[in-house]
């Protein structure tokens, strides 16, 4: 798998600036490793509260099929009117006035903690169950905005803006994960406005819905390589269900600066399974959707719109790759470009 993605990255470099060995490593898995970042310092604990506040591609004929062999095409790249029906800056983020909290990199260790109405400078590292972050803003100074540690469950991140300052993050100036699920329990991320992070939503199981992910910022990681970027990334081997429904997931990063996918289902830590991708707006990446590859099962991809706002085939090389059409329980139905043209993926291999 990593060899395949490395080949794709190298092809991208040949098409743009020459494959000079500066391409990024394989995309991060849904479980951040100690190689990706150092362990966070446990700086403080939050007590439970009902509110915790107020405190130009080469032109080729357009094709309805965008698979592994697809090339950039002359399909129009204007934003189609249908895209206005998806989440945006007006429908996501906090709904209340916020109060500044310079938390730094804060650890939460009290079950049932609710953070509401906070304008946080720092990050939240969750060592507790049933924590809710709602109607808040997080400007991260850490590897992540919100991170759920293994062994804990019930995290909800709702109506929250999660961002960072480009060039000020700990990964050689970059930031990696807006919301990271290091465990095996489901979490909910809904109605959030997310930008800047390289791999914005990183998890193998969870309910990701009604979010606006945009403005991902490329960066060279601590190893000096371009970090791969994905609006949503899952590394496979998940034990629960991953639902990705009615989100706007945009990856505007240049492919020679690390762009991977809008949704990347990668079998880095095991086969991809039990995943629903329904009713989303996708755009950008080498491919807008990486479908899990050989061995992927129980993947349903339905009623998604693939925008051409960045590239003629949604992604640089096409809308979708690595789709295992023969996998048990895999369904591909009613997926289309923004102009209504149906998309039929080529088989994985």
């Amino acid at each position: 798998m990593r060899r395949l993605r490395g080949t794709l990255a190298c092809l991208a470099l040949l098409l743009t600036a020459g494959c000079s060995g500066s391409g990024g490593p394989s995309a991060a898995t849904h479980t951040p490793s100690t190689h990706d970042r150092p362990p966070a310092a446990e700086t403080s604990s939050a007590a439970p509260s009902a509110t915790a506040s107020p405190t130009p591609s080469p032109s080729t004929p357009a094709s309805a099929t965008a698979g592994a062999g697809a090339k950039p095409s002359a399909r129009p790249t204007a934003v189609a009117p249908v895209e206005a029906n998806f989440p945006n800056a007006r429908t996501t983020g906090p709904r209340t006035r916020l109060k500044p909290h310079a938390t730094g990199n804060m650890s939460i260790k009290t079950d049932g903690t609710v953070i509401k109405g906070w304008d946080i400078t720092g990050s939240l590292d969750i060592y507790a169950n049933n924590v809710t972050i709602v109607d808040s803003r997080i400007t991260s100074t850490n590897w992540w905005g919100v991170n759920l540690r293994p062994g804990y469950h019930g995290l909800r991140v709702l109506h929250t803006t999660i961002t960072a300052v480009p060039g000020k993050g700990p990964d050689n100036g970059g930031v990696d994960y807006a919301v990271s699920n290091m465990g095996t329990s489901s979490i909910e991320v809904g109605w959030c406005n997310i930008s800047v992070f390289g791999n914005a939503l990183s998890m193998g199981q969870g309910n990701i819905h009604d979010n606006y992910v945009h403005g991902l910022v490329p960066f060279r990681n601590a190893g000096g390589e371009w970090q791969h970027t994905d609006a949503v990334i899952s590394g496979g081997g998940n034990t629960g269900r991953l639902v990705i429904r009615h989100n706007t997931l945009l990856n505007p990063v240049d492919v020679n600066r690390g762009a991977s996918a809008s949704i990347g289902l990668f079998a880095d830590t095991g086969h991809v399974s039990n995943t629903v991708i329904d009713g989303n707006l996708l755009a950008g990446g080498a491919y807008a959707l990486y479908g899990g590859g050989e061995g992927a099962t129980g993947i349903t991809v339905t009623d998604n719109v693939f925008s051409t706002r960045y590239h003629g085939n949604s992604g640089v090389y096409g809308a979708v790759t690595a789709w295992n059409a023969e996998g048990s329980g895999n369904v591909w139905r009613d997926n289309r470009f923004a102009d209504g043209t149906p998309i039929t993926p080529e088989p994985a291999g």
Side-chain angles (χ1 to χ4, degrees), residues 209-234:
H209 64 87
D210 300 290
N211 301 288
Y212 176 44
V213 182
H214 61 103
L216 306 185
V217 175
F219 64 93
R220 290 188 183 273
N221 59 30
E225 300 174 309
W226 287 110
Q227 181 74 13
H228 282 268
T229 61
D230 304 86
V232 176
I233 185 170
S234 177

Side-chain angles (χ1 to χ4, degrees), residues 40-69:
E42 300 179 4
T43 56
S44 61
S45 299
S49 166
T51 62
S53 66
T55 42
S57 317
S59 295
T60 58
S63 170
T65 300

Side-chain angles (χ1 to χ4, degrees), residues 46-51 108-115 128-132 153:
S49 166
T51 62
I108 296 177
K109 299 181 178 179
T110 303
D111 289 352
T113 297
V114 176
I115 291 179
N129 298 319
N130 302 319
V131 172
T132 298
H153 63 267

Side-chain angles (χ1 to χ4, degrees), residues 1-265:
M1 177 60 65
R2 294 180 182 276
R3 189 177 302 112
L4 171 60
R5 293 174 60 202
T7 301
L8 287 174
C10 193
L11 286 172
L13 289 171
L14 285 170
L15 287 171
T16 53
C19 190
S20 63
S22 61
S26 60
T29 69
H30 73 271
T31 304
S33 72
T34 55
H35 298 289
D36 294 328
R37 63 195 183 206
E42 300 179 4
T43 56
S44 61
S45 299
S49 166
T51 62
S53 66
T55 42
S57 317
S59 295
T60 58
S63 170
T65 300
K71 297 180 180 179
S73 78
R75 184 180 296 278
T77 55
V79 175
V82 68
E83 299 184 24
N85 298 323
F86 289 90
N88 54 47
R90 295 187 304 276
T91 62
T92 57
R95 302 161 296 177
T96 60
R97 298 183 70 175
L98 307 179
K99 183 174 181 179
H101 284 72
T103 65
N105 302 324
M106 183 170 75
S107 295
I108 296 177
K109 299 181 178 179
T110 303
D111 289 352
T113 297
V114 176
I115 291 179
K116 182 175 182 180
W118 287 23
D119 188 349
I120 293 169
T121 302
S123 66
L124 301 176
D125 203 4
I126 313 300
Y127 294 84
N129 298 319
N130 302 319
V131 172
T132 298
I133 300 141
V134 62
D135 288 319
S136 295
R137 176 183 174 91
I138 299 171
T139 303
S140 177
T141 56
N142 203 354
W143 297 79
W144 56 77
V146 182
N147 180 48
L148 180 66
R149 291 287 178 168
Y152 300 96
H153 63 267
L155 174 65
R156 304 172 72 213
V157 185
L158 309 174
H159 296 285
T160 293
T161 293
I162 310 175
T163 190
V165 179
K168 300 296 184 180
D171 194 0
N172 196 32
V175 286
D176 290 80
Y177 312 100
V179 181
S180 167
N181 182 2
M182 295 180 70
T184 58
S185 65
S186 182
I187 70 175
E188 180 183 3
V189 183
W191 303 285
C192 290
N193 184 332
I194 297 170
S195 61
V196 180
F197 295 86
N199 286 304
L201 298 173
S202 175
M203 62 194 71
Q205 42 275 315
N207 181 10
I208 300 171
H209 64 87
D210 300 290
N211 301 288
Y212 176 44
V213 182
H214 61 103
L216 306 185
V217 175
F219 64 93
R220 290 188 183 273
N221 59 30
E225 300 174 309
W226 287 110
Q227 181 74 13
H228 282 268
T229 61
D230 304 86
V232 176
I233 185 170
S234 177
N238 50 300
T239 58
R241 190 178 193 219
L242 177 61
V243 177
I244 307 168
R245 176 169 284 130
H246 195 242
N247 303 277
T248 298
L249 303 171
L250 308 178
N251 186 349
V253 175
D254 291 338
V255 72
N256 63 319
R257 301 181 75 193
S260 182
S262 294
I263 298 178
L265 305 181

